[in-house]
């Protein structure tokens, strides 16, 4: 049986020399004359030199800055270093040059750490157990119906004509879906506390204040919401028309959002959180959140681990909020939290808190209703592995297609879809500007979302029945279980989930590089003979 092993840093690793980084520029004690005094560069406008310097490498910028004070002042300009960072994201408290140098030094430290981890695991070995062979699940394939199709909106072919999504979304819903479910799982730990009326009011006040900071700051300034603020933000984001109207009314522009961060934003995250704390306290006179504690005597935890003998995997989080410290709500507050400037209510927040449990229950019930071969389950959570995401995105594509073909103006009320479709829809709505743009491009209008519609029970059932019947006629499948059927072929799960989940550690054990096609048949043969000894093994291979 495969077992994850604790990280033990190998000591015998050759170290790189530490990069020479300094902010102190040494000039002679005597009065230094301008190096450009007798140069033709003196007549060139500063703006032109600045433009030229943008094309220089970091190494060359360091050299030209030694020429004279004038060149150093130009070489320090944020316009130059913003290009080197390759990011429009900026800290409130640091220049782009400071960000770039700190970032490069962090990369140096990460490389050292990677070398240590890789050296350690080259010395390790894993073992195979004995027992019954186990294979990945195989999901059924939907019927191949004949569909009369005419190009409509952003759809150039019928959704049933391909296995993969045929439309492009501006949001990376694959990564966002994982982070969204993770966020809701973290928030569920505070569910009982955050259902209290007094605390919800404080959370809404904190969210409003955070949004005021966002609205008054330049777009490129990185501000970090806390977990409680992010949860209120989620309630707002999942009501696109309401979010747009509230933002325009309160902040005179739409405040954008993303659950994901890129590499440099993740590097800046802690300092950005500290900046956010200071800005919040300066503006509102109350603590935003306790700052993270730093203990110099505490050993630094490795940022890279080797899970189940896979390639060294970066486990630095890619989400945008701060959850290492949770705000301690007070039962008595000096601030009046009764005013809610937004269009959503405390009841909306409480109802939204039920979504994860309902979705998990729905996905489990639907899985038991569909004939899936070799299905061993996926723990107690929602299956977001690669093959499952392909099917979920395909169902969402069908939902968008239905929204395009059966317009609300035609009297067709397309109500809240299944929880399976919701997973991708909620992920898509995480970036409101991109979501609106995608809807206009693909569907022709921005699809609004009402998580808990208040409609007459009879009308709701009638509308549901109409939706289900139309879906069945259009796509040859029941809407409720649509996300569990493959399209065009059914061997996707069999190999692609293998490649995603099993190849990393088998490559190490069998010595099969993933770029060597000649080894792939050998890999598949050996993998199919891999066996498990107990149910405990399934958490590593299923």
């Amino acid at each position: 049986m495969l077992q994850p092993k604790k990280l033990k840093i190998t000591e015998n690793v050759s170290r790189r020399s530490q990069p020479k980084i300094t902010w102190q520029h040494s000039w002679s004690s005597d009065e230094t004359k301008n190096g450009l005094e007798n140069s033709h560069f003196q007549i060139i406008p500063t703006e032109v030199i600045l433009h030229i310097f943008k094309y220089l490498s970091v190494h060359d910028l360091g050299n030209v800055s030694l020429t004279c004070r004038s060149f150093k002042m130009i070489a320090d300009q944020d316009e130059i270093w913003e290009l080197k960072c390759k990011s429009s994201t900026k800290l409130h408290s640091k220049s782009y040059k400071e960000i770039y140098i700190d970032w490069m030094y962090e990369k140096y430290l990460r490389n050292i750490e990677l070398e240590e981890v890789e050296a350690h695991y080259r010395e390790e070995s894993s073992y195979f157990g004995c027992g019954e062979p186990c294979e990945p699940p195989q999901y059924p394939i939907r019927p191949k119906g004949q569909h009369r199709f005419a190009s409509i909106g952003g759809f150039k072919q019928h959704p049933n004509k391909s296995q993969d999504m045929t439309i492009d979304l501006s949001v990376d819903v694959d990564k966002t879906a994982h982070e969204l479910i993770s966020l809701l799982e973290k928030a569920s730990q505070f569910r009982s506390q955050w259902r209290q009326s007094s605390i919800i009011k404080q959370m809404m006040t904190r969210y409003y204040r955070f949004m005021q900071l966002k609205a008054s700051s330049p777009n490129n300034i990185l501000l970090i919401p806390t977990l409680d603020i992010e949860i209120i933000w989620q309630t707002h984001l999942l009501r696109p028309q309401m979010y747009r109207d509230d933002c325009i009314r309160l902040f005179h522009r739409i405040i954008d959002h993303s659950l994901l961060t890129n590499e440099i934003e993740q590097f800046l995250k802690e300092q950005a959180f500290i900046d956010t704390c200071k800005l919040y306290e300066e503006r509102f006179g109350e603590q935003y959140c306790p700052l993270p504690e730093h203990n110099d005597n505490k050993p630094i935890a490795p940022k890279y681990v080797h899970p189940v003998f896979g390639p060294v995997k970066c486990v630095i989080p890619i989400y945008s909020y701060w959850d290492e410290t949770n705000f301690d709500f007070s039962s008595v507050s000096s601030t009046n939290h009764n005013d809610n400037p937004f269009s959503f209510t405390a009841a909306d927040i409480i109802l939204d808190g039920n979504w994860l449990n309902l979705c998990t229950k729905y996905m489990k019930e639907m899985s038991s209703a569909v004939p899936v071969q070799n299905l061993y389950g996926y723990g107690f959570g929602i299956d977001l592995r690669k093959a499952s995401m392909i099917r979920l995105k395909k169902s969402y594509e069908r939902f968008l297609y239905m929204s395009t073909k059966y317009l609300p103006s035609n009297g067709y009320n397309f109500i809240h879809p299944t929880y399976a479709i919701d997973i991708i829809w909620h992920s898509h709505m995480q970036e409101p500007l991109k979501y609106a743009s995608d809807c206009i491009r693909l569907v022709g209008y921005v699809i609004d979302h009402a998580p808990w519609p208040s409609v007459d029970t009879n009308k709701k059932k009638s509308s549901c029945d109409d939706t289900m019947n139309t879906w069945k006629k259009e796509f040859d499948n029941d809407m409720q279980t649509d996300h569990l059927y493959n399209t065009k072929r059914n061997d996707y799960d069999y190999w692609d989930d293998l490649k995603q989940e099993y190849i990393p550690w088998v490559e190490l054990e069998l010595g099969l590089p993933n770029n060597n096609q000649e080894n792939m048949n050998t890999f598949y043969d050996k993998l199919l003979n891999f066996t498990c000894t107990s149910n405990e093994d399934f958490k590593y291979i299923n």
Side-chain angles (χ1 to χ4, degrees):
M1 184 178 80
L2 296 176
Q3 292 286 359
K5 300 188 177 182
K6 294 182 178 179
L7 184 67
K8 179 181 71 177
I9 301 299
T10 302
E11 296 180 358
N12 299 324
V13 179
S14 59
R15 294 269 181 171
R16 293 188 182 89
S17 59
Q18 186 168 334
K20 297 178 180 179
I21 298 176
T22 177
W23 280 100
Q24 301 298 324
H25 196 91
S26 58
W27 301 95
S28 62
S29 56
D30 298 332
E31 184 177 355
T32 305
K33 291 186 177 181
N34 193 322
L36 300 180
E37 190 176 59
N38 299 315
S39 169
H40 293 297
F41 280 102
Q42 192 173 16
I43 62 174
I44 300 178
T46 302
E47 293 79 5
V48 175
I49 298 179
L50 177 62
H51 186 73
I52 294 172
F53 278 21
K54 289 180 180 179
Y55 294 95
L56 298 181
S57 66
V58 173
H59 179 76
D60 290 338
L61 283 171
N63 286 333
V64 299
S65 66
L66 296 173
T67 304
C68 63
R69 285 191 176 93
S70 296
F71 272 16
K72 184 178 189 305
M73 291 174 65
I74 296 173
D76 284 348
Q77 294 301 306
D78 253 14
E79 295 176 51
I80 293 175
W81 294 95
E82 181 181 359
L83 298 174
K84 304 304 178 187
C85 290
K86 298 178 181 178
S87 172
S88 59
T89 302
K90 192 177 188 301
L91 287 170
H92 179 266
S93 59
K94 289 187 177 183
S95 67
Y96 274 113
K97 183 176 181 181
E98 289 178 284
I99 290 171
Y100 181 83
I101 291 179
D102 289 346
W103 185 31
M104 289 300 106
Y105 185 63
E106 173 71 10
K107 282 191 172 183
Y108 158 79
L109 296 178
R110 289 184 189 179
N111 284 333
I112 290 294
E113 197 169 59
L114 275 170
E115 287 179 347
E116 293 174 337
V117 175
E118 288 178 316
H120 166 65
Y121 280 104
R122 280 196 294 268
E123 300 171 1
E124 298 294 322
S125 61
S126 58
Y127 300 91
F128 292 99
C130 299
E132 295 300 320
C134 53
E135 299 177 356
Q138 290 181 276
Y139 286 80
I141 188 169
R142 70 180 62 249
K144 295 181 180 179
Q146 298 297 320
H147 305 280
R148 298 180 61 183
F149 174 79
S151 179
I152 182 172
F155 295 85
K156 306 307 177 186
Q157 67 178 43
H158 194 275
N160 274 18
K161 291 295 183 180
S162 68
Q163 170 77 7
D164 298 317
M165 223 179 190
T166 61
I167 56 174
D168 293 323
L169 301 181
S170 303
V171 178
D172 187 344
V173 291
D174 292 86
K175 291 181 180 178
T176 302
H178 283 82
E179 295 305 332
L180 177 60
I181 298 302
S182 174
L183 164 68
L184 299 179
E185 289 172 344
K186 292 173 186 176
S188 65
Q189 302 173 28
F190 306 93
R191 189 177 174 192
S192 59
Q193 177 189 5
W194 289 353
R195 278 179 175 267
Q196 299 176 39
S197 175
S198 61
I199 291 181
I200 288 181
K201 289 178 181 179
Q202 292 178 61
M203 291 168 66
M204 293 171 71
T205 298
R206 284 167 50 75
Y207 170 64
Y208 180 40
R209 289 175 172 179
F210 177 81
M211 294 293 275
Q212 287 177 288
L213 286 182
K214 289 280 290 182
S216 60
S217 301
N219 288 334
N220 63 339
I221 296 296
L222 184 61
L223 298 178
I224 308 296
T226 53
L227 180 61
D228 62 292
I229 291 175
E230 181 62 48
I231 285 299
I232 306 299
W233 207 345
Q234 288 298 313
T235 288
H236 212 180
L237 288 167
L238 297 184
R239 295 153 175 83
Q241 187 59 52
M242 180 189 294
Y243 185 79
R244 177 184 177 85
D245 292 344
D246 283 352
C247 280
I248 296 299
R249 173 172 54 86
L250 297 171
F251 313 118
H252 309 295
R253 66 182 176 91
I254 299 175
I255 308 296
D256 206 9
H257 172 275
S258 176
L259 266 186
L260 306 178
T261 59
N262 57 37
E263 183 184 1
I264 192 168
E265 287 173 339
Q266 197 54 236
F267 165 67
L268 300 174
K269 188 174 178 179
E270 183 170 335
Q271 183 59 50
F273 175 69
I274 294 172
D275 290 352
T276 307
C277 290
K278 292 178 179 178
L279 287 171
Y280 188 96
E281 187 171 347
E282 288 172 3
R283 181 156 180 179
F284 303 110
E286 289 187 4
Q287 186 183 51
Y288 180 64
C289 195
L291 292 173
E293 296 182 1
H294 291 282
N295 186 350
D296 294 334
N297 296 324
K298 183 179 179 181
I300 300 175
K303 296 184 178 68
Y304 294 84
V305 297
H306 192 298
V308 197
F309 302 99
V312 178
K313 177 183 178 182
C314 175
V315 293
I316 298 175
I318 62 170
Y319 54 86
S320 58
Y321 54 91
W322 190 267
D323 62 352
E324 294 180 26
T325 310
N326 296 295
F327 182 75
D328 187 17
F329 292 98
S330 173
S331 57
V332 180
S333 176
S334 58
T335 305
N336 180 13
H337 298 286
N338 291 323
D339 295 333
N340 173 18
F342 301 108
S343 301
F344 61 87
T345 66
D348 290 317
I349 300 169
I350 293 174
L351 283 171
D352 287 354
N354 299 321
W355 183 87
L356 181 62
N357 286 343
L358 293 172
C359 181
T360 304
K361 180 181 178 182
Y362 174 87
M363 298 295 279
K364 184 177 180 180
E365 289 177 351
M366 292 304 105
S367 294
S368 63
V370 173
V372 182
Q373 298 179 29
N374 308 320
L375 180 62
Y376 302 109
Y378 190 64
F380 299 100
I382 297 172
D383 186 357
L384 296 178
R385 290 173 294 181
K386 185 175 180 179
S388 297
M389 285 298 296
I390 291 287
R391 288 186 292 271
L392 287 170
K393 289 191 295 183
K394 198 64 181 176
S395 288
Y396 181 60
E397 180 184 37
R398 293 187 177 96
F399 163 71
L400 294 179
Y401 178 76
M402 290 280 284
S403 300
T404 308
K405 187 172 182 179
Y406 302 94
L407 298 175
S409 58
N410 293 342
Y412 186 86
N413 295 318
F414 199 84
I415 65 159
H416 187 78
T418 67
Y419 283 102
I421 294 172
D422 257 354
I423 294 172
I424 307 302
W425 195 8
H426 288 194
S427 301
H428 196 187
M429 286 185 283
Q430 292 302 306
E431 301 186 35
L433 296 180
K434 290 181 178 179
Y435 173 74
S437 176
D438 283 348
C439 282
I440 296 297
R441 173 172 56 87
L442 296 171
V443 183
Y445 63 97
V446 179
I447 309 173
D448 200 18
H449 179 254
W452 315 100
S454 300
V455 295
D456 180 81
T457 304
N458 293 329
K459 288 184 178 180
K460 183 177 180 179
K461 184 181 185 306
S462 175
S463 185
C464 278
D465 291 342
D466 289 344
T467 301
M468 299 294 181
N469 293 334
T470 305
W471 187 284
K472 176 79 171 179
K473 182 179 179 180
E474 188 73 50
F475 302 121
D476 308 311
N477 219 58
D478 289 334
M479 183 179 182
Q480 289 184 310
T481 58
D482 185 85
H483 63 288
L484 293 171
Y485 282 81
N486 283 325
T487 304
K488 300 290 288 182
R489 60 188 180 94
N490 65 351
D491 58 340
Y492 183 88
D493 305 86
Y494 198 75
W495 296 125
D496 292 77
D497 263 351
L498 286 181
K499 287 186 283 185
Q500 181 193 24
E501 299 185 18
Y502 305 162
I503 280 183
W505 56 262
V506 176
E507 279 176 4
L508 184 70
E509 180 64 21
L510 304 180
L512 300 177
N514 60 8
N515 60 351
N516 189 337
Q517 283 299 120
E518 295 179 0
N519 285 329
M520 294 314 295
N521 290 335
T522 305
F523 160 69
Y524 290 139
D525 291 339
K526 292 188 177 183
L527 185 60
L528 289 177
N529 291 325
F530 173 73
T531 56
C532 309
T533 57
S534 68
N535 289 336
E536 182 69 12
D537 292 342
F538 287 120
K539 69 181 180 181
Y540 298 119
I541 65 170
N542 186 35

